[in-house]
Amino acid sequence: GVAGGATAAARIRRLDERAEIIIFERSGFISYANCGLPYYIGGVIEDRHALTIQTPESFARRFRIDARVHHEVISINNSQKSVTVRNLVPGESFDEPYDKLIIATGAQPFVPDFCRIGSERIFTMRTVEDTYRLDTFIREKEPKTAVIIGGGFIGLEMAENLTHRGIRVTIVERSTQVLQPFDADMAAFIHAKLRQSGVSLKLTRSVTGFRSDSDGIITDIYAVGDAVEIHHRVTDAQALVSLAGPANKQGRIAADNICGINTAYRGALGSTIIKLFAMTAAITGINEKTAAALGIAYDKIVLSP
């Protein structure tokens, strides 16, 4: 579901009125605003229903798409052209045949080996359920402090929104800067804004602990979104660009090909934007550090209008 899968399903329906389309989604939500999840925690988005773009019922009414939540695909049977699916509510498994298969599982938050996600006080932020669990914990336990491991996009957005909830936030980042795609001189402004807003920033630090099969060649199968490497248009190399824009484009292109339209995804520049307190930061392409490491000639201009 979500960006890549739901978009591909809707596009297939627009291109083919007769196709039978099924979405299997392990969580309880098939189409929601990933980027909005931290802002529900911060109270910027007040209505939890505003996070949901489509429901299984609305998908069925509008597109005649059979969207099944709480269904986890546990294996791909390529030779039989079927998937084995577990219905998580009763716990029963069944096989579902396919002509074309799209993989849009997305990515999982990185969890250190020493971390027990079962702990009441340790959270990841990826699904709507993750968001509700954290929001409930904050309302019931009223924590005063929070530590965020990693200074990526979701980590910084969570830092802003937890700060709005009156929680004192510390970000632990093992690199010399937050937001790795940004150049260091750009990231310096973000560091200053975070600290000015009350966020403690621990750079070049790592959290070390807490107290308290198939051999066959896959064919007829497509993958979209955070699950895949893509071609980076600047470096001309494979890259992971975990953004909704590329996922949506890939979903549409997978749908085109399934319906006989020969289109191709030609890669991304990694254009992205983030809002932090009263600051907006945006990039496209690669940063200075990456260009230098790859031997790509570059120049730079710094303007302070």
Side-chain angles (χ1 to χ4, degrees), residues 73-285:
V73 175
I74 57 178
S75 68
I76 299 172
N77 316 309
N78 189 46
S79 58
Q80 292 84 27
K81 296 193 71 173
S82 70
V83 290
T84 301
V85 185
R86 179 183 294 122
N87 186 336
L88 299 178
V89 178
E92 300 172 348
S93 298
F94 60 93
D95 289 341
E96 184 73 35
Y98 65 81
D99 295 311
K100 305 290 184 181
L101 177 65
I102 295 179
I103 300 172
T105 52
Q108 291 183 334
F110 171 74
V111 179
D113 294 335
F114 53 77
C115 176
R116 294 184 299 106
I117 282 299
S119 171
E120 180 190 31
R121 294 178 178 269
I122 298 176
F123 301 86
T124 59
M125 180 58 63
R126 176 176 181 266
T127 66
V128 176
E129 288 91 343
D130 292 338
T131 308
Y132 292 166
R133 176 173 170 251
L134 177 57
D135 180 64
T136 299
F137 180 87
I138 293 173
R139 286 188 286 103
E140 292 180 353
K141 304 297 184 180
E142 298 182 348
K144 301 294 186 262
T145 62
V147 174
I148 296 174
I149 302 176
F153 290 97
I154 299 296
L156 295 194
E157 289 168 350
M158 284 304 305
E160 175 185 2
N161 284 281
L162 290 173
T163 298
H164 287 326
R165 291 283 290 263
I167 298 173
R168 192 167 70 253
V169 175
T170 298
I171 298 175
V172 180
E173 168 56 52
R174 64 183 177 182
S175 180
T176 57
Q177 68 172 74
V178 300
L179 296 180
Q180 292 303 306
F182 285 74
D183 281 314
D185 48 4
M186 295 178 68
F189 289 96
I190 299 172
H191 296 168
K193 176 59 67 175
L194 289 167
R195 289 171 172 137
Q196 178 187 351
S197 303
V199 175
S200 177
L201 199 55
K202 305 293 184 183
L203 300 175
T204 65
R205 302 288 191 273
S206 295
V207 174
T208 58
F210 299 102
R211 285 196 297 265
S212 82
D213 157 66
S214 172
D215 297 326
I217 298 175
I218 298 177
T219 57
D220 299 309
I221 298 177
Y222 302 81
V224 299
D226 292 358
V228 296
E229 285 185 327
I230 66 170
H231 174 71
H232 198 290
R233 298 295 298 273
V234 178
T235 65
D236 202 31
Q238 293 296 99
L240 179 65
V241 179
S242 299
L243 297 171
N248 279 297
K249 292 178 183 177
Q250 294 156 25
R252 287 193 291 271
I253 289 170
D256 286 353
N257 282 270
I258 284 176
C259 295
I261 301 174
N262 185 20
T263 55
Y265 184 72
R266 305 191 186 281
L269 294 171
S271 305
T272 189
I273 188 168
I274 184 170
K275 174 259 179 194
L276 290 166
F277 298 95
M279 175 180 281
T280 301
I283 57 169
T284 191

